[in-house]
Amino acid sequence: MEALIERLSHLDSEAEGALRVVVFYDTLMRRRVDLPALARASAGLAECVVGIRLHGTGRTIRVTPDGRQAPVPPGPASTEGPIRLDEEEVGAVWLERTGTPAPLDEFVLDRLALSAAAVMERYGPATTTMADPALVELVISAASDEGARARALRLLGFATGLPVRVAAVRTRTPLDRVARLVCPSRPVKAASLADVGVILATTLDPEGLPTDARAGIGGVGSPERSWKQARTALRFTSERRPVVHHDGLGALALLAEVPTGTVRDNADVAAIALVAARSDDLATLEAYCAGGSLRRTAELLHLHHSSVARRIEQIGGHLGIDLTEPAGLLRASLALAAWRLLDDEEPMAGTGRSR
């Protein structure tokens, strides 16, 4: 291998160099190297620091051209590219070259990424974030027995006894990317069930969610209960409140147990539906219920508090509720929450499929 690296350092043309790079990585693959060996060989070839990072575990390998662990903090990447496995981005590779990139850096990086994906597929357990939907459904379904649930969790890469939290997500962003954003360094799996994305993780950081996402997050404990909680919490999300933790709903979660027909026939909920036809009125009412005062509502809406006061008086007239009274504010808040549930009716138990 050292002789091949030496020959590659004296390329007489870019085309010949590219061919030799292909032979170099083919040789490495035949020798069934692991990721550290792949990084060391690549650093020797590129004559600069080479880095490999795995999204699923957070593992990072950085090696100098002499095969040693690179010092921290890392230098800026001169060239970087994704590692893809089954069309999913599962990691990244990069070169930390000072000065001008070498002519074959992009080609070397491409072959390094392909080789890293092959190594991960050969040696890595459950490297991808996206999971078999059937396994995920076994984990979250109330109909599964504990033995089947435990086996499914093991197959998904979760250790026995490890607490798992479930999130129900709606987003236009690819679900594997969302899963890595909310759980970048711990075990995490995701699958789409009908129109709902399911994320299983040991920890979840909702701050990482993309701006277009809405998410309901269940509590830690049995996955089937956490899924039910996450599904309920998702129904309470809104544009102003895109992430809802079931633990934070408290008694409001009881509204999800009320039959849809009963909610729809309630006079206050019917009045909210009429107010919602006017987007400005709906936004004002939402902000008022969230802020609890005219001044706070004015801050949220970036309006003068006198303008907000006029709007609240008009909305209260439409609802037949005195919104300036604490009891009236509570009544409107409950009606607004119940009305939102009509927009996202209860999915079928265990599957996430809507009626």
Side-chain angles (χ1 to χ4, degrees), residues 1 53 64 81-82 96 199 208 226-227 266 276 291 296 302 316 339:
M1 182 61 65
R53 181 176 57 252
T64 62
E96 297 176 21
I199 295 177
S226 185
W227 167 239
N266 182 270
R296 178 58 181 152
H302 306 292
W339 172 78

Side-chain angles (χ1 to χ4, degrees), residues 229-273:
Q229 293 172 346
R231 205 172 62 222
T232 297
L234 180 63
R235 297 176 66 200
F236 282 91
T237 60
S238 65
E239 185 176 349
R240 186 173 293 278
R241 192 185 182 192
V243 179
V244 174
H245 291 259
H246 186 272
D247 293 345
L249 285 174
L252 280 176
L254 295 174
L255 288 175
E257 306 297 328
V258 180
T260 299
T262 302
V263 174
R264 198 180 301 278
D265 291 342
N266 182 270
D268 284 355
V269 175
I272 290 287

Side-chain angles (χ1 to χ4, degrees), residues 19 49 61 90 103 109 161 173 179 183-184 192 205 255 280 296 308 320 323 333:
L19 179 60
V49 172
I61 302 168
V90 296
L109 202 70
T173 304
C183 188
S192 295
D205 179 12
L255 288 175
D280 287 347
R296 178 58 181 152
V308 172
L323 295 175
S333 297

Side-chain angles (χ1 to χ4, degrees), residues 2-300:
E2 290 77 9
L4 179 56
I5 294 175
E6 175 64 24
R7 290 198 300 273
L8 286 171
S9 66
H10 301 289
L11 301 176
D12 54 11
S13 74
E14 189 169 327
E16 182 182 358
L19 179 60
R20 290 178 181 270
V21 170
V22 171
V23 173
F24 176 81
Y25 280 103
D26 283 350
T27 302
L28 289 176
M29 290 300 96
R30 285 196 300 272
R31 293 184 179 184
R32 304 177 71 86
V33 297
D34 58 11
L35 285 177
L38 177 64
R40 286 194 298 272
S42 299
L45 171 64
E47 298 182 337
C48 68
V49 172
V50 165
I52 301 175
R53 181 176 57 252
L54 309 184
H55 294 327
T57 62
R59 180 187 182 191
T60 299
I61 302 168
R62 293 176 57 249
V63 183
T64 62
D66 60 4
R68 299 180 182 179
Q69 182 175 330
V72 292
S78 57
T79 316
E80 186 171 3
I83 303 172
R84 298 190 183 278
L85 190 58
D86 295 332
E87 300 183 359
E88 179 186 338
E89 185 178 327
V90 296
V93 293
W94 66 92
L95 306 180
E96 297 176 21
R97 186 184 301 284
T98 57
T100 305
L104 289 176
D105 276 2
E106 291 281 357
F107 192 73
V108 168
L109 202 70
D110 181 62
R111 301 305 300 184
L112 171 57
L114 289 172
S115 301
V119 172
M120 292 173 68
E121 189 170 33
R122 181 183 298 160
Y123 296 116
T127 52
T128 57
T129 300
M130 295 302 290
D132 182 346
L135 281 178
V136 172
E137 193 157 357
L138 271 177
V139 170
I140 64 176
S141 175
S144 298
D145 62 68
E146 289 306 313
R149 196 186 324 279
R151 285 192 296 273
L153 283 169
R154 284 197 300 272
L155 288 171
L156 289 170
F158 293 98
T160 302
L162 200 65
V164 174
R165 188 187 295 269
V166 186
V169 180
R170 288 201 177 100
T171 176
R172 292 184 298 275
T173 304
L175 196 57
D176 62 293
R177 182 182 172 197
V178 175
R180 291 196 303 270
L181 288 171
V182 298
C183 188
S185 59
R186 298 287 185 88
V188 61
K189 291 293 173 183
S192 295
L193 299 182
D195 64 337
V196 180
V198 184
I199 295 177
L200 306 174
T202 53
T203 60
L204 283 167
D205 179 12
E207 293 295 323
L209 283 166
T211 55
D212 75 300
R214 292 194 185 186
I217 300 176
V220 174
S222 60
E224 74 277 14
R225 184 169 65 250
S226 185
W227 167 239
K228 181 180 179 181
Q229 293 172 346
R231 205 172 62 222
T232 297
L234 180 63
R235 297 176 66 200
F236 282 91
T237 60
S238 65
E239 185 176 349
R240 186 173 293 278
R241 192 185 182 192
V243 179
V244 174
H245 291 259
H246 186 272
D247 293 345
L249 285 174
L252 280 176
L254 295 174
L255 288 175
E257 306 297 328
V258 180
T260 299
T262 302
V263 174
R264 198 180 301 278
D265 291 342
N266 182 270
D268 284 355
V269 175
I272 290 287
L274 294 176
V275 168
R278 299 178 292 276
S279 59
D280 287 347
D281 284 353
L282 179 61
T284 301
L285 182 59
E286 285 181 323
Y288 186 64
C289 289
S293 71
L294 294 175
R295 191 166 297 278
R296 178 58 181 152
T297 303
E299 291 173 358
L300 291 171

Side-chain angles (χ1 to χ4, degrees), residues 321-345:
I321 301 174
D322 185 352
L323 295 175
T324 62
E325 293 292 326
L329 178 58
L330 174 60
R331 185 174 154 187
S333 297
L334 287 173
L336 181 61
W339 172 78
R340 287 218 168 271
L341 294 181
L342 296 177
D343 260 359
D344 192 340
E345 294 184 7

Side-chain angles (χ1 to χ4, degrees), residues 311-323:
R311 286 193 187 184
I312 292 299
E313 183 179 1
Q314 291 171 354
I315 294 169
H318 294 310
L319 295 176
I321 301 174
D322 185 352
L323 295 175

